């Protein structure tokens, strides 16, 4: 009997469902309108959730959403600033309300959905045998079980830490933080294959004319939170540091 709990990135499912049902229609000789069916959009969301649940084989499902306040934007005002002008689907707010009323949902103060998944996915007493689903590659920083396309894969702690350090080196254009100047995917892989440590990251930054403080700043933007990195009662984030303090 399935015991796993599927942890779903609700931001992504809601966005995909809402955008997929929008229809451009010519209203008259000069006017086009964009419309969407509320019932079709809700049905699309439910279909996507059912598909993910069936693929995972999980008995329970939790849907995570991003809070209106984002602690990373407090650290860096340009974080995700490149998305400010991106149009959001019309029915996105409606779907979030619909999901909250229909499914078990979580939204933690000042955190992104990624962080909620990371915290829950690394604290098994909270949910039994959690499986994480997200199409965002950042979640590969989280050790444990992941639903990747049609398969359940396990990310080891070593693999998760490797991916985190790689993100610190390469940055993330989608989230608008730079990483280390001049370091792309191939170079980052070569560096960490030779020495998968924080010291190697710092040395790379210093060779680029930057400092350990620069590397730490990027790390705190890149880091997906895990259990122990967040005080739920106070809504306070424990920013990452190489010594774990």
């Amino acid at each position: 009997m399935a015991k796993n709990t599927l942890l779903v990135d609700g931001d992504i499912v809601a966005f995909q469902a809402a955008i997929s049902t929008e229809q451009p229609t010519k209203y008259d000789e000069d006017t086009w309108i964009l419309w969407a069916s509320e019932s079709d959009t809700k049905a699309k969301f439910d279909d996507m959730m059912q598909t993910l649940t069936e693929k995972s084989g999980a008995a329970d499902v939790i849907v995570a959403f991003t809070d209106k306040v984002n602690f990373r934007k407090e650290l860096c005002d340009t974080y995700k600033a490149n998305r400010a002008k991106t149009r959001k689907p019309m029915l996105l707010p409606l779907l979030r309300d619909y999901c909250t009323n229909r499914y078990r949902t979580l939204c933690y103060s000042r955190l992104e959905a990624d962080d909620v998944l990371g915290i829950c996915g690394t604290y098994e007493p909270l949910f039994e045998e959690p499986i994480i689903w997200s199409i965002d590659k950042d979640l590969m920083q989280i050790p444990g079980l992941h639903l990747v396309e049609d398969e359940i894969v396990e990310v080891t702690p070593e693999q998760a830490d490797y991916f985190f350090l790689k993100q610190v080196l390469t940055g993330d254009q989608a989230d608008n933080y730079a990483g280390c100047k001049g370091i792309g995917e191939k170079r980052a892989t070569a560096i960490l294959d030779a020495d998968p440590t924080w010291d190697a990251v710092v040395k790379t930054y210093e060779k680029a004319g930057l400092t350990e403080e620069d590397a730490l700043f990027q790390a705190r933007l890149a880091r997906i939170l895990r259990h122990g990195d967040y005080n739920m009662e106070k809504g306070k984030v424990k920013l990452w540091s190489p010594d774990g303090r």
Side-chain angles (χ1 to χ4, degrees):
M1 182 178 294
K3 295 185 295 182
N4 303 81
T5 300
L6 178 64
L7 307 175
V8 174
D9 188 329
D11 292 347
I12 292 174
V13 178
F15 186 94
Q16 290 182 340
I19 200 74
S20 69
T21 57
E22 291 186 341
Q23 300 290 333
T25 302
K26 190 170 185 179
Y27 179 73
D28 58 28
E29 290 300 317
D30 187 55
T31 308
W32 285 77
I33 59 173
L34 190 65
W35 67 276
S37 163
E38 180 175 327
S39 58
D40 287 351
T41 304
K42 290 177 178 177
K44 179 66 175 179
F45 184 91
D46 288 335
D47 286 346
M48 293 176 68
M49 289 296 299
Q50 182 177 353
T51 297
L52 292 174
T53 303
E54 290 175 351
K55 285 182 177 181
S56 70
D60 297 307
V61 180
I62 303 292
V63 184
F65 285 107
T66 294
D67 189 36
K68 293 180 180 179
V69 178
N70 187 332
F71 83 92
R72 291 182 181 85
K73 292 183 179 180
E74 296 171 350
L75 295 176
C76 177
D77 57 10
T78 59
Y79 180 77
K80 289 190 174 179
N82 51 334
R83 303 188 190 187
K85 296 182 180 180
T86 302
R87 184 186 71 82
K88 293 180 173 59
M90 293 182 294
L91 297 189
L92 191 58
L94 178 145
L95 272 187
R96 179 161 173 159
D97 290 341
Y98 172 73
C99 180
T100 300
N101 291 325
R102 185 173 176 82
Y103 300 87
R104 293 174 64 193
T105 61
L106 288 175
C107 179
Y108 294 161
S109 176
R110 301 173 63 234
L111 301 190
E112 299 182 60
D114 290 355
D115 299 306
V116 179
L117 297 178
I119 292 167
C120 295
T122 51
Y123 186 47
E124 194 162 310
L126 192 61
F127 299 111
E128 192 167 11
E129 297 182 11
I131 300 171
I132 292 173
W133 178 86
S134 176
I135 61 173
D136 190 334
K137 68 182 187 304
D138 292 347
L139 267 299
M140 290 296 105
Q141 293 184 30
I142 301 301
L145 301 178
H146 292 253
L147 176 61
V148 180
E149 296 182 355
D150 296 334
E151 296 183 19
I152 305 295
V153 300
E154 182 171 7
V155 175
T156 67
E158 293 77 17
Q159 289 170 331
D161 291 343
Y162 179 101
F163 191 86
F164 163 60
L165 294 177
K166 190 174 181 180
Q167 287 290 95
V168 180
L169 287 172
T170 63
D172 191 330
Q173 290 186 351
D175 289 341
N176 207 38
Y177 65 90
C180 183
K181 181 173 60 178
I183 302 298
E185 185 88 8
K186 291 183 179 180
R187 181 64 181 141
T189 299
I191 291 167
L192 294 175
D193 282 352
D195 184 9
T197 66
W198 175 249
D199 285 344
V201 171
V202 172
K203 289 176 182 177
T204 303
Y205 269 76
E206 290 175 344
K207 286 180 181 178
L210 301 168
T211 67
E212 182 172 4
E213 287 71 23
D214 293 321
L216 184 59
F217 178 71
Q218 294 295 309
R220 289 173 170 174
L221 294 177
R223 180 77 168 184
I224 303 301
L225 302 186
R226 303 179 186 181
H227 173 63
D229 293 337
Y230 182 70
N231 186 316
M232 293 187 188
E233 292 183 1
K234 298 181 179 180
K236 186 176 180 179
V237 175
K238 178 184 175 183
L239 296 175
W240 184 83
S241 64
D243 60 8
R245 295 177 183 175

